[in-house]
Amino acid sequence: MLKPKFLILILVVVAVIAASTTYYTLRTSLEIPEAENLVIEGIKVNREASVMTGVVVKNIGDKPVTVEKIVLIRVQTGLVVCSSTINPPAVIQPGETEIVRVSCELDHYYKKEGCDYKVLAVTSEGKAAKYVFGYPMTLEELGFAVE
Amino acid sequence: MVILGFFALALTFYTLPKAYIIWRKAEKASLEEVYTLEKSFYLVSTVVWLVLASRIVGMGLYWVANESLIPLIPGAMCQWGVHQAGHPYSWIDSILKLFVLFVYGIWLSLDMINRRCRGSPLMATLSKYFIFLVPLLLADSILDLAFYFKVEPVTVPCCRVVFTAENPLPCPFCFVFHDAPMFIAVIAGYGLSIATMIWGSVIKRYTYQPGELGEISKRALKMLANLSLIFAIIGTMALVPAIFQIMAPATPH
C-alpha cells in the first residue's frame, strides 16, 4: 500500500500541476491573433457604477467585420474579469465606427490606485482587436470614455 | 505585529541563557542537579511555547496586517506596494515567513513528546535545538520590526509597473489575495500538510528508542501522519473551487 508520505507528495504535485496547467491554458486561450482591419478606439464607462458599458471599435478594412465577443482581462493577474457574447453579433461596415454594448464591472477593490485592463473584441474569423486601459482613468481619458 | 516582535525578542533573550545552561549541564549532571534542571527546563519550555506560538500566530497576522496597510500607502493597490514601502526588509521577511512554521513546529512537536515522558528525556536536545533556533527567531522578529518601522505613507510604484500586459506572470498578491482567494485555503492546506510531514520525519528517529520515549514518539508520529493527510485532503478539496474561481469569469455569458 502507498505510504501516506508519498500520497501527500503526489497530491501536492498533482495540485501544483493542475493549478498551473489551468492558469496557462486559460492565458494561452486568450492569445488570439491580431485582427488587422479592426481597431478599438476606446471604451465607454459608467463612472458612478464603475462599469464598462461599451467598446468603441472601428473597421479600417474594406470588408464588413463581425464582433462576436468582448473579453475583459485584468492585466496584473492575467485573469478574465468578464466575457460577454454579443447577441446579435455587431456587424461593422468598412470605415465605420460603432459602440459595441456590454456590461462589465470594473473592480472596486482596485478603485483607489487602479489597475490595468485589456479588452479583446473577438471577430467571427477568430481574430481580435486589443486595447489596454487603466481604471480609474486620467481626466483626458475620461473625457472620451465617460457616458 | 510590532508588539509581537518586541514580545518575542524579550522572551528569547530571557530564555537563551537558561537554555544554554541546561544544554551544557544536562549530560554531566548528578541526580539532584537533573531535578533542578528539569524544573528550570519546565519554565524554559513554557516560555519557548509562548514565543513560538506567538510567532506562528504572527505568521498569519503578517499577511492580514499587510493587507490592511494598502489603503494607507499612496500608490499601493496590493501588497506589492506595501512591500515596496518596506523594501528591502519586507521581501526578506515574507520569504522567511513562508518557512518558519516548518522549523518552529519541529521544536513544538518534540517538546510535546518530552512533556508526555517521565524525566524529560529530550531536555538537553530541546535546549540545544532552541539555541540553534535563536538566530532564526531573532531574524524573524527583527525583520518584522524593521519592516513596520520602515513603512511610511510615501508614494510607491505598485505591481502595475512590473506586471504589464507583456509579462506572462501574474502579480502573486493580486492573484491570491483578491482575484482567486480560494488559493489561500489551498496553500494553507498543503503548507500545513507538508509541515506536519516534516515534523513527523524528525520525530521518526525517536520511535526506535526503547521504552516510553519510543512508544510516545510512535503515537505522535501516527497522529502527525493522520493530520498531514487531513490537511492534504483539505487542500485538494479547496483546489476544485479555486480552479473554478479562475475559470468561471472566462465563460462567456
Side-chain angles (χ1 to χ4, degrees), chain A residues 8 15 23 26-27 74-77 80 83 85 107 109-110 112-114 116, chain B residues 67 73 75-77 160 163 165 167-168 170-171 178-179 193 228 249 252-253:
Chain A
I8 291 157
Y23 180 74
L26 200 73
R27 281 199 82 149
R74 194 187 330 279
V75 167
Q76 275 69 48
T77 53
V80 175
S83 177
T85 309
D107 210 315
Y109 174 83
Y110 297 108
K112 185 180 78 91
E113 297 300 337
D116 300 317
Chain B
E67 198 66 18
I73 300 167
M77 59 176 270
R160 282 174 87 172
F163 299 96
N167 195 330
C171 165
H178 182 251
D179 282 17
S193 175
S228 185
H253 61 267

PDB file of all heavy atoms in Angstrom, chain A residues 8 15 23 26-27 74-77 80 83 85 107 109-110 112-114 116, chain B residues 67 73 75-77 160 163 165 167-168 170-171 178-179 193 228 249 252-253:
ATOM      1  N   ILE A   8       0.748  12.128   0.036  1.00  0.00           N
ATOM      2  CA  ILE A   8       0.682  13.586   0.215  1.00  0.00           C
ATOM      3  C   ILE A   8       1.522  14.291  -0.845  1.00  0.00           C
ATOM      4  O   ILE A   8       1.080  15.260  -1.465  1.00  0.00           O
ATOM      5  CB  ILE A   8       1.129  13.971   1.645  1.00  0.00           C
ATOM      6  CG1 ILE A   8       0.078  13.483   2.642  1.00  0.00           C
ATOM      7  CG2 ILE A   8       1.327  15.469   1.785  1.00  0.00           C
ATOM      8  CD1 ILE A   8       0.584  13.299   4.035  1.00  0.00           C
ATOM      9  N   ALA A  15      -1.667  18.884  -7.470  1.00  0.00           N
ATOM     10  CA  ALA A  15      -2.322  20.185  -7.276  1.00  0.00           C
ATOM     11  C   ALA A  15      -1.563  21.296  -7.988  1.00  0.00           C
ATOM     12  O   ALA A  15      -2.168  22.131  -8.666  1.00  0.00           O
ATOM     13  CB  ALA A  15      -2.416  20.489  -5.788  1.00  0.00           C
ATOM     14  N   TYR A  23      -4.165  27.613 -15.306  1.00  0.00           N
ATOM     15  CA  TYR A  23      -3.849  29.023 -15.493  1.00  0.00           C
ATOM     16  C   TYR A  23      -3.244  29.291 -16.876  1.00  0.00           C
ATOM     17  O   TYR A  23      -3.670  30.205 -17.584  1.00  0.00           O
ATOM     18  CB  TYR A  23      -2.886  29.480 -14.390  1.00  0.00           C
ATOM     19  CG  TYR A  23      -2.512  30.934 -14.512  1.00  0.00           C
ATOM     20  CD1 TYR A  23      -3.429  31.926 -14.170  1.00  0.00           C
ATOM     21  CD2 TYR A  23      -1.277  31.325 -14.988  1.00  0.00           C
ATOM     22  CE1 TYR A  23      -3.111  33.264 -14.302  1.00  0.00           C
ATOM     23  CE2 TYR A  23      -0.945  32.659 -15.123  1.00  0.00           C
ATOM     24  CZ  TYR A  23      -1.864  33.618 -14.775  1.00  0.00           C
ATOM     25  OH  TYR A  23      -1.557  34.945 -14.920  1.00  0.00           O
ATOM     26  N   LEU A  26      -5.673  28.827 -19.703  1.00  0.00           N
ATOM     27  CA  LEU A  26      -6.561  29.995 -19.759  1.00  0.00           C
ATOM     28  C   LEU A  26      -5.870  31.169 -20.449  1.00  0.00           C
ATOM     29  O   LEU A  26      -6.449  31.834 -21.317  1.00  0.00           O
ATOM     30  CB  LEU A  26      -6.935  30.377 -18.325  1.00  0.00           C
ATOM     31  CG  LEU A  26      -8.178  31.222 -18.146  1.00  0.00           C
ATOM     32  CD1 LEU A  26      -9.405  30.366 -18.402  1.00  0.00           C
ATOM     33  CD2 LEU A  26      -8.241  31.776 -16.742  1.00  0.00           C
ATOM     34  N   ARG A  27      -4.615  31.391 -20.088  1.00  0.00           N
ATOM     35  CA  ARG A  27      -3.871  32.513 -20.690  1.00  0.00           C
ATOM     36  C   ARG A  27      -3.603  32.263 -22.166  1.00  0.00           C
ATOM     37  O   ARG A  27      -3.678  33.187 -22.982  1.00  0.00           O
ATOM     38  CB  ARG A  27      -2.556  32.744 -19.938  1.00  0.00           C
ATOM     39  CG  ARG A  27      -2.798  33.496 -18.652  1.00  0.00           C
ATOM     40  CD  ARG A  27      -1.574  34.133 -18.132  1.00  0.00           C
ATOM     41  NE  ARG A  27      -1.310  35.407 -18.789  1.00  0.00           N
ATOM     42  CZ  ARG A  27      -0.705  36.428 -18.199  1.00  0.00           C
ATOM     43  NH1 ARG A  27      -0.306  36.326 -16.954  1.00  0.00           N
ATOM     44  NH2 ARG A  27      -0.477  37.544 -18.839  1.00  0.00           N
ATOM     45  N   ARG A  74      -7.978  41.328 -16.553  1.00  0.00           N
ATOM     46  CA  ARG A  74      -7.189  42.177 -15.648  1.00  0.00           C
ATOM     47  C   ARG A  74      -5.719  41.866 -15.919  1.00  0.00           C
ATOM     48  O   ARG A  74      -5.281  40.723 -15.780  1.00  0.00           O
ATOM     49  CB  ARG A  74      -7.530  41.896 -14.183  1.00  0.00           C
ATOM     50  CG  ARG A  74      -6.980  42.988 -13.274  1.00  0.00           C
ATOM     51  CD  ARG A  74      -7.107  42.735 -11.792  1.00  0.00           C
ATOM     52  NE  ARG A  74      -8.214  41.932 -11.353  1.00  0.00           N
ATOM     53  CZ  ARG A  74      -9.452  42.363 -11.184  1.00  0.00           C
ATOM     54  NH1 ARG A  74      -9.750  43.622 -11.427  1.00  0.00           N
ATOM     55  NH2 ARG A  74     -10.399  41.553 -10.770  1.00  0.00           N
ATOM     56  N   VAL A  75      -4.998  42.891 -16.336  1.00  0.00           N
ATOM     57  CA  VAL A  75      -3.612  42.697 -16.785  1.00  0.00           C
ATOM     58  C   VAL A  75      -2.720  42.141 -15.674  1.00  0.00           C
ATOM     59  O   VAL A  75      -1.925  41.232 -15.907  1.00  0.00           O
ATOM     60  CB  VAL A  75      -3.057  44.036 -17.334  1.00  0.00           C
ATOM     61  CG1 VAL A  75      -1.551  43.982 -17.505  1.00  0.00           C
ATOM     62  CG2 VAL A  75      -3.730  44.373 -18.644  1.00  0.00           C
ATOM     63  N   GLN A  76      -2.870  42.650 -14.450  1.00  0.00           N
ATOM     64  CA  GLN A  76      -1.952  42.267 -13.374  1.00  0.00           C
ATOM     65  C   GLN A  76      -2.057  40.789 -12.963  1.00  0.00           C
ATOM     66  O   GLN A  76      -1.116  40.230 -12.411  1.00  0.00           O
ATOM     67  CB  GLN A  76      -2.162  43.163 -12.140  1.00  0.00           C
ATOM     68  CG  GLN A  76      -1.379  44.460 -12.198  1.00  0.00           C
ATOM     69  CD  GLN A  76      -1.892  45.414 -13.271  1.00  0.00           C
ATOM     70  OE1 GLN A  76      -3.092  45.648 -13.374  1.00  0.00           O
ATOM     71  NE2 GLN A  76      -0.989  45.951 -14.069  1.00  0.00           N
ATOM     72  N   THR A  77      -3.217  40.186 -13.223  1.00  0.00           N
ATOM     73  CA  THR A  77      -3.329  38.761 -12.876  1.00  0.00           C
ATOM     74  C   THR A  77      -3.482  37.882 -14.111  1.00  0.00           C
ATOM     75  O   THR A  77      -3.346  36.660 -14.014  1.00  0.00           O
ATOM     76  CB  THR A  77      -4.537  38.504 -11.942  1.00  0.00           C
ATOM     77  OG1 THR A  77      -5.694  39.048 -12.544  1.00  0.00           O
ATOM     78  CG2 THR A  77      -4.329  39.092 -10.573  1.00  0.00           C
ATOM     79  N   VAL A  80      -9.514  36.562 -16.633  1.00  0.00           N
ATOM     80  CA  VAL A  80     -10.663  37.186 -17.287  1.00  0.00           C
ATOM     81  C   VAL A  80     -11.595  37.725 -16.206  1.00  0.00           C
ATOM     82  O   VAL A  80     -11.924  37.037 -15.247  1.00  0.00           O
ATOM     83  CB  VAL A  80     -11.398  36.161 -18.174  1.00  0.00           C
ATOM     84  CG1 VAL A  80     -12.663  36.752 -18.763  1.00  0.00           C
ATOM     85  CG2 VAL A  80     -10.481  35.661 -19.273  1.00  0.00           C
ATOM     86  N   SER A  83     -16.563  38.087 -19.688  1.00  0.00           N
ATOM     87  CA  SER A  83     -16.572  37.628 -21.068  1.00  0.00           C
ATOM     88  C   SER A  83     -18.012  37.688 -21.553  1.00  0.00           C
ATOM     89  O   SER A  83     -18.892  37.057 -20.962  1.00  0.00           O
ATOM     90  CB  SER A  83     -16.025  36.199 -21.125  1.00  0.00           C
ATOM     91  OG  SER A  83     -16.086  35.722 -22.437  1.00  0.00           O
ATOM     92  N   THR A  85     -20.779  37.519 -24.750  1.00  0.00           N
ATOM     93  CA  THR A  85     -21.105  37.192 -26.142  1.00  0.00           C
ATOM     94  C   THR A  85     -22.087  38.251 -26.658  1.00  0.00           C
ATOM     95  O   THR A  85     -23.071  38.560 -25.982  1.00  0.00           O
ATOM     96  CB  THR A  85     -21.747  35.791 -26.217  1.00  0.00           C
ATOM     97  OG1 THR A  85     -20.896  34.883 -25.523  1.00  0.00           O
ATOM     98  CG2 THR A  85     -21.943  35.326 -27.642  1.00  0.00           C
ATOM     99  N   ASP A 107     -13.403  46.511 -11.192  1.00  0.00           N
ATOM    100  CA  ASP A 107     -13.336  46.175  -9.773  1.00  0.00           C
ATOM    101  C   ASP A 107     -13.213  47.356  -8.819  1.00  0.00           C
ATOM    102  O   ASP A 107     -12.399  48.246  -9.010  1.00  0.00           O
ATOM    103  CB  ASP A 107     -12.151  45.243  -9.557  1.00  0.00           C
ATOM    104  CG  ASP A 107     -12.404  44.321  -8.412  1.00  0.00           C
ATOM    105  OD1 ASP A 107     -12.882  44.811  -7.383  1.00  0.00           O
ATOM    106  OD2 ASP A 107     -12.157  43.115  -8.560  1.00  0.00           O
ATOM    107  N   TYR A 109     -12.272  46.980  -5.740  1.00  0.00           N
ATOM    108  CA  TYR A 109     -11.119  46.703  -4.861  1.00  0.00           C
ATOM    109  C   TYR A 109      -9.920  47.556  -5.267  1.00  0.00           C
ATOM    110  O   TYR A 109      -9.181  48.047  -4.423  1.00  0.00           O
ATOM    111  CB  TYR A 109     -10.772  45.210  -4.952  1.00  0.00           C
ATOM    112  CG  TYR A 109      -9.534  44.793  -4.214  1.00  0.00           C
ATOM    113  CD1 TYR A 109      -9.574  44.515  -2.850  1.00  0.00           C
ATOM    114  CD2 TYR A 109      -8.321  44.642  -4.880  1.00  0.00           C
ATOM    115  CE1 TYR A 109      -8.440  44.109  -2.179  1.00  0.00           C
ATOM    116  CE2 TYR A 109      -7.185  44.232  -4.211  1.00  0.00           C
ATOM    117  CZ  TYR A 109      -7.257  43.967  -2.864  1.00  0.00           C
ATOM    118  OH  TYR A 109      -6.122  43.564  -2.206  1.00  0.00           O
ATOM    119  N   TYR A 110      -9.753  47.712  -6.579  1.00  0.00           N
ATOM    120  CA  TYR A 110      -8.581  48.435  -7.080  1.00  0.00           C
ATOM    121  C   TYR A 110      -8.893  49.909  -7.361  1.00  0.00           C
ATOM    122  O   TYR A 110      -8.128  50.577  -8.014  1.00  0.00           O
ATOM    123  CB  TYR A 110      -8.080  47.780  -8.370  1.00  0.00           C
ATOM    124  CG  TYR A 110      -7.594  46.359  -8.185  1.00  0.00           C
ATOM    125  CD1 TYR A 110      -8.326  45.286  -8.664  1.00  0.00           C
ATOM    126  CD2 TYR A 110      -6.412  46.101  -7.524  1.00  0.00           C
ATOM    127  CE1 TYR A 110      -7.883  43.983  -8.503  1.00  0.00           C
ATOM    128  CE2 TYR A 110      -5.961  44.802  -7.353  1.00  0.00           C
ATOM    129  CZ  TYR A 110      -6.694  43.747  -7.841  1.00  0.00           C
ATOM    130  OH  TYR A 110      -6.255  42.477  -7.670  1.00  0.00           O
ATOM    131  N   LYS A 112      -8.908  52.604  -5.584  1.00  0.00           N
ATOM    132  CA  LYS A 112      -8.060  53.660  -5.012  1.00  0.00           C
ATOM    133  C   LYS A 112      -6.898  54.006  -5.953  1.00  0.00           C
ATOM    134  O   LYS A 112      -6.757  55.153  -6.360  1.00  0.00           O
ATOM    135  CB  LYS A 112      -7.508  53.224  -3.661  1.00  0.00           C
ATOM    136  CG  LYS A 112      -6.715  54.320  -2.976  1.00  0.00           C
ATOM    137  CD  LYS A 112      -6.187  53.875  -1.650  1.00  0.00           C
ATOM    138  CE  LYS A 112      -4.973  52.994  -1.743  1.00  0.00           C
ATOM    139  NZ  LYS A 112      -3.688  53.640  -1.725  1.00  0.00           N
ATOM    140  N   GLU A 113      -6.100  53.014  -6.297  1.00  0.00           N
ATOM    141  CA  GLU A 113      -4.946  53.277  -7.156  1.00  0.00           C
ATOM    142  C   GLU A 113      -5.145  52.749  -8.567  1.00  0.00           C
ATOM    143  O   GLU A 113      -4.359  53.039  -9.450  1.00  0.00           O
ATOM    144  CB  GLU A 113      -3.686  52.671  -6.543  1.00  0.00           C
ATOM    145  CG  GLU A 113      -3.302  53.266  -5.209  1.00  0.00           C
ATOM    146  CD  GLU A 113      -3.025  54.758  -5.254  1.00  0.00           C
ATOM    147  OE1 GLU A 113      -2.713  55.273  -6.341  1.00  0.00           O
ATOM    148  OE2 GLU A 113      -3.140  55.403  -4.202  1.00  0.00           O
ATOM    149  N   GLY A 114      -6.151  51.948  -8.748  1.00  0.00           N
ATOM    150  CA  GLY A 114      -6.470  51.442 -10.077  1.00  0.00           C
ATOM    151  C   GLY A 114      -5.624  50.269 -10.523  1.00  0.00           C
ATOM    152  O   GLY A 114      -4.651  49.909  -9.873  1.00  0.00           O
ATOM    153  N   ASP A 116      -4.787  47.814 -14.465  1.00  0.00           N
ATOM    154  CA  ASP A 116      -4.895  47.842 -15.926  1.00  0.00           C
ATOM    155  C   ASP A 116      -5.815  46.732 -16.419  1.00  0.00           C
ATOM    156  O   ASP A 116      -5.830  45.636 -15.861  1.00  0.00           O
ATOM    157  CB  ASP A 116      -3.510  47.679 -16.550  1.00  0.00           C
ATOM    158  CG  ASP A 116      -2.575  48.789 -16.123  1.00  0.00           C
ATOM    159  OD1 ASP A 116      -3.029  49.945 -16.099  1.00  0.00           O
ATOM    160  OD2 ASP A 116      -1.411  48.505 -15.783  1.00  0.00           O
TER     161      ASP A 116
ATOM    162  N   GLU B  67      -2.245  43.532   4.311  1.00  0.00           N
ATOM    163  CA  GLU B  67      -3.445  43.830   3.526  1.00  0.00           C
ATOM    164  C   GLU B  67      -4.105  45.120   4.045  1.00  0.00           C
ATOM    165  O   GLU B  67      -4.562  45.937   3.268  1.00  0.00           O
ATOM    166  CB  GLU B  67      -4.394  42.618   3.632  1.00  0.00           C
ATOM    167  CG  GLU B  67      -5.486  42.523   2.596  1.00  0.00           C
ATOM    168  CD  GLU B  67      -5.024  42.294   1.166  1.00  0.00           C
ATOM    169  OE1 GLU B  67      -3.883  41.870   0.941  1.00  0.00           O
ATOM    170  OE2 GLU B  67      -5.832  42.589   0.273  1.00  0.00           O
ATOM    171  N   ILE B  73      -1.083  53.559   2.021  1.00  0.00           N
ATOM    172  CA  ILE B  73       0.129  53.871   1.241  1.00  0.00           C
ATOM    173  C   ILE B  73      -0.258  54.359  -0.154  1.00  0.00           C
ATOM    174  O   ILE B  73      -0.839  53.603  -0.933  1.00  0.00           O
ATOM    175  CB  ILE B  73       1.060  52.630   1.164  1.00  0.00           C
ATOM    176  CG1 ILE B  73       1.473  52.223   2.584  1.00  0.00           C
ATOM    177  CG2 ILE B  73       2.292  52.906   0.310  1.00  0.00           C
ATOM    178  CD1 ILE B  73       2.117  50.880   2.681  1.00  0.00           C
ATOM    179  N   GLY B  75      -0.333  54.946  -3.880  1.00  0.00           N
ATOM    180  CA  GLY B  75       0.255  54.189  -4.996  1.00  0.00           C
ATOM    181  C   GLY B  75       0.130  52.690  -4.842  1.00  0.00           C
ATOM    182  O   GLY B  75       0.273  51.963  -5.813  1.00  0.00           O
ATOM    183  N   ALA B  76      -0.139  52.221  -3.625  1.00  0.00           N
ATOM    184  CA  ALA B  76      -0.240  50.767  -3.413  1.00  0.00           C
ATOM    185  C   ALA B  76      -1.647  50.291  -3.743  1.00  0.00           C
ATOM    186  O   ALA B  76      -2.620  50.810  -3.216  1.00  0.00           O
ATOM    187  CB  ALA B  76       0.100  50.429  -1.968  1.00  0.00           C
ATOM    188  N   MET B  77      -1.733  49.324  -4.666  1.00  0.00           N
ATOM    189  CA  MET B  77      -3.041  48.732  -4.974  1.00  0.00           C
ATOM    190  C   MET B  77      -3.138  47.316  -4.431  1.00  0.00           C
ATOM    191  O   MET B  77      -4.199  46.736  -4.371  1.00  0.00           O
ATOM    192  CB  MET B  77      -3.293  48.728  -6.476  1.00  0.00           C
ATOM    193  CG  MET B  77      -2.252  47.969  -7.256  1.00  0.00           C
ATOM    194  SD  MET B  77      -2.594  47.870  -9.000  1.00  0.00           S
ATOM    195  CE  MET B  77      -3.537  46.370  -9.071  1.00  0.00           C
ATOM    196  N   ARG B 160       1.617  47.398 -11.081  1.00  0.00           N
ATOM    197  CA  ARG B 160       1.294  47.828 -12.458  1.00  0.00           C
ATOM    198  C   ARG B 160       2.560  48.095 -13.256  1.00  0.00           C
ATOM    199  O   ARG B 160       2.561  48.015 -14.477  1.00  0.00           O
ATOM    200  CB  ARG B 160       0.434  49.094 -12.436  1.00  0.00           C
ATOM    201  CG  ARG B 160      -1.006  48.810 -12.105  1.00  0.00           C
ATOM    202  CD  ARG B 160      -1.764  50.081 -11.954  1.00  0.00           C
ATOM    203  NE  ARG B 160      -2.286  50.584 -13.230  1.00  0.00           N
ATOM    204  CZ  ARG B 160      -3.106  51.605 -13.316  1.00  0.00           C
ATOM    205  NH1 ARG B 160      -3.497  52.235 -12.230  1.00  0.00           N
ATOM    206  NH2 ARG B 160      -3.549  52.010 -14.476  1.00  0.00           N
ATOM    207  N   PHE B 163       4.049  44.025 -13.585  1.00  0.00           N
ATOM    208  CA  PHE B 163       3.184  43.054 -14.263  1.00  0.00           C
ATOM    209  C   PHE B 163       2.348  43.758 -15.331  1.00  0.00           C
ATOM    210  O   PHE B 163       1.173  44.054 -15.131  1.00  0.00           O
ATOM    211  CB  PHE B 163       2.324  42.309 -13.235  1.00  0.00           C
ATOM    212  CG  PHE B 163       3.162  41.548 -12.254  1.00  0.00           C
ATOM    213  CD1 PHE B 163       3.477  42.095 -11.016  1.00  0.00           C
ATOM    214  CD2 PHE B 163       3.685  40.309 -12.570  1.00  0.00           C
ATOM    215  CE1 PHE B 163       4.277  41.418 -10.116  1.00  0.00           C
ATOM    216  CE2 PHE B 163       4.497  39.625 -11.679  1.00  0.00           C
ATOM    217  CZ  PHE B 163       4.789  40.181 -10.454  1.00  0.00           C
ATOM    218  N   ALA B 165       1.024  44.120 -19.542  1.00  0.00           N
ATOM    219  CA  ALA B 165       0.345  43.200 -20.463  1.00  0.00           C
ATOM    220  C   ALA B 165       1.320  42.217 -21.120  1.00  0.00           C
ATOM    221  O   ALA B 165       0.915  41.149 -21.560  1.00  0.00           O
ATOM    222  CB  ALA B 165      -0.393  44.001 -21.521  1.00  0.00           C
ATOM    223  N   ASN B 167       3.981  40.864 -19.565  1.00  0.00           N
ATOM    224  CA  ASN B 167       4.560  39.935 -18.579  1.00  0.00           C
ATOM    225  C   ASN B 167       3.696  38.672 -18.481  1.00  0.00           C
ATOM    226  O   ASN B 167       2.502  38.752 -18.220  1.00  0.00           O
ATOM    227  CB  ASN B 167       4.638  40.632 -17.213  1.00  0.00           C
ATOM    228  CG  ASN B 167       5.534  39.893 -16.236  1.00  0.00           C
ATOM    229  OD1 ASN B 167       5.661  38.675 -16.289  1.00  0.00           O
ATOM    230  ND2 ASN B 167       6.169  40.634 -15.360  1.00  0.00           N
ATOM    231  N   PRO B 168       4.300  37.492 -18.689  1.00  0.00           N
ATOM    232  CA  PRO B 168       3.475  36.272 -18.635  1.00  0.00           C
ATOM    233  C   PRO B 168       3.103  35.842 -17.214  1.00  0.00           C
ATOM    234  O   PRO B 168       2.240  34.985 -17.031  1.00  0.00           O
ATOM    235  CB  PRO B 168       4.380  35.220 -19.290  1.00  0.00           C
ATOM    236  CG  PRO B 168       5.764  35.703 -19.053  1.00  0.00           C
ATOM    237  CD  PRO B 168       5.699  37.202 -19.023  1.00  0.00           C
ATOM    238  N   PRO B 170       1.624  36.392 -13.281  1.00  0.00           N
ATOM    239  CA  PRO B 170       0.676  37.251 -12.580  1.00  0.00           C
ATOM    240  C   PRO B 170       1.287  37.850 -11.318  1.00  0.00           C
ATOM    241  O   PRO B 170       2.259  37.293 -10.787  1.00  0.00           O
ATOM    242  CB  PRO B 170      -0.445  36.273 -12.207  1.00  0.00           C
ATOM    243  CG  PRO B 170       0.238  34.966 -12.044  1.00  0.00           C
ATOM    244  CD  PRO B 170       1.432  34.964 -12.959  1.00  0.00           C
ATOM    245  N   CYS B 171       0.727  38.950 -10.856  1.00  0.00           N
ATOM    246  CA  CYS B 171       1.167  39.506  -9.569  1.00  0.00           C
ATOM    247  C   CYS B 171       0.667  38.531  -8.498  1.00  0.00           C
ATOM    248  O   CYS B 171      -0.542  38.316  -8.382  1.00  0.00           O
ATOM    249  CB  CYS B 171       0.572  40.892  -9.355  1.00  0.00           C
ATOM    250  SG  CYS B 171       0.713  41.462  -7.652  1.00  0.00           S
ATOM    251  N   HIS B 178      -6.806  38.618  -3.935  1.00  0.00           N
ATOM    252  CA  HIS B 178      -8.026  39.231  -4.449  1.00  0.00           C
ATOM    253  C   HIS B 178      -8.740  38.426  -5.513  1.00  0.00           C
ATOM    254  O   HIS B 178      -9.892  38.068  -5.342  1.00  0.00           O
ATOM    255  CB  HIS B 178      -7.748  40.644  -4.958  1.00  0.00           C
ATOM    256  CG  HIS B 178      -8.997  41.296  -5.434  1.00  0.00           C
ATOM    257  ND1 HIS B 178      -9.235  41.528  -6.759  1.00  0.00           N
ATOM    258  CD2 HIS B 178     -10.096  41.680  -4.770  1.00  0.00           C
ATOM    259  CE1 HIS B 178     -10.429  42.058  -6.882  1.00  0.00           C
ATOM    260  NE2 HIS B 178     -10.975  42.168  -5.706  1.00  0.00           N
ATOM    261  N   ASP B 179      -8.065  38.124  -6.603  1.00  0.00           N
ATOM    262  CA  ASP B 179      -8.779  37.507  -7.729  1.00  0.00           C
ATOM    263  C   ASP B 179      -9.126  36.037  -7.503  1.00  0.00           C
ATOM    264  O   ASP B 179     -10.132  35.559  -8.013  1.00  0.00           O
ATOM    265  CB  ASP B 179      -7.961  37.671  -9.021  1.00  0.00           C
ATOM    266  CG  ASP B 179      -8.097  39.080  -9.572  1.00  0.00           C
ATOM    267  OD1 ASP B 179      -8.529  39.950  -8.797  1.00  0.00           O
ATOM    268  OD2 ASP B 179      -7.782  39.311 -10.748  1.00  0.00           O
ATOM    269  N   SER B 193       0.111  20.475   5.607  1.00  0.00           N
ATOM    270  CA  SER B 193       0.325  19.055   5.348  1.00  0.00           C
ATOM    271  C   SER B 193       1.836  18.754   5.245  1.00  0.00           C
ATOM    272  O   SER B 193       2.325  17.795   5.846  1.00  0.00           O
ATOM    273  CB  SER B 193      -0.393  18.672   4.053  1.00  0.00           C
ATOM    274  OG  SER B 193      -0.116  17.360   3.724  1.00  0.00           O
ATOM    275  N   SER B 228      -1.426  15.211   8.674  1.00  0.00           N
ATOM    276  CA  SER B 228      -0.851  15.580   7.388  1.00  0.00           C
ATOM    277  C   SER B 228      -1.786  15.200   6.240  1.00  0.00           C
ATOM    278  O   SER B 228      -2.009  15.979   5.313  1.00  0.00           O
ATOM    279  CB  SER B 228       0.496  14.888   7.246  1.00  0.00           C
ATOM    280  OG  SER B 228       1.132  15.308   6.091  1.00  0.00           O
ATOM    281  N   PRO B 249     -15.146  33.373 -14.636  1.00  0.00           N
ATOM    282  CA  PRO B 249     -15.397  34.617 -15.390  1.00  0.00           C
ATOM    283  C   PRO B 249     -15.039  34.493 -16.877  1.00  0.00           C
ATOM    284  O   PRO B 249     -15.497  35.291 -17.690  1.00  0.00           O
ATOM    285  CB  PRO B 249     -14.493  35.648 -14.712  1.00  0.00           C
ATOM    286  CG  PRO B 249     -14.057  35.034 -13.445  1.00  0.00           C
ATOM    287  CD  PRO B 249     -14.094  33.561 -13.657  1.00  0.00           C
ATOM    288  N   PRO B 252     -18.143  32.663 -21.401  1.00  0.00           N
ATOM    289  CA  PRO B 252     -18.956  33.757 -21.949  1.00  0.00           C
ATOM    290  C   PRO B 252     -20.400  33.715 -21.454  1.00  0.00           C
ATOM    291  O   PRO B 252     -20.944  32.642 -21.228  1.00  0.00           O
ATOM    292  CB  PRO B 252     -18.905  33.516 -23.465  1.00  0.00           C
ATOM    293  CG  PRO B 252     -17.821  32.553 -23.682  1.00  0.00           C
ATOM    294  CD  PRO B 252     -17.669  31.764 -22.447  1.00  0.00           C
ATOM    295  N   HIS B 253     -20.983  34.897 -21.240  1.00  0.00           N
ATOM    296  CA  HIS B 253     -22.399  34.964 -20.883  1.00  0.00           C
ATOM    297  C   HIS B 253     -23.134  35.894 -21.841  1.00  0.00           C
ATOM    298  O   HIS B 253     -22.540  36.644 -22.571  1.00  0.00           O
ATOM    299  CB  HIS B 253     -22.578  35.409 -19.431  1.00  0.00           C
ATOM    300  CG  HIS B 253     -22.024  36.771 -19.145  1.00  0.00           C
ATOM    301  ND1 HIS B 253     -20.743  36.935 -18.671  1.00  0.00           N
ATOM    302  CD2 HIS B 253     -22.536  37.993 -19.323  1.00  0.00           C
ATOM    303  CE1 HIS B 253     -20.529  38.247 -18.535  1.00  0.00           C
ATOM    304  NE2 HIS B 253     -21.589  38.895 -18.931  1.00  0.00           N
TER     305      HIS B 253
END
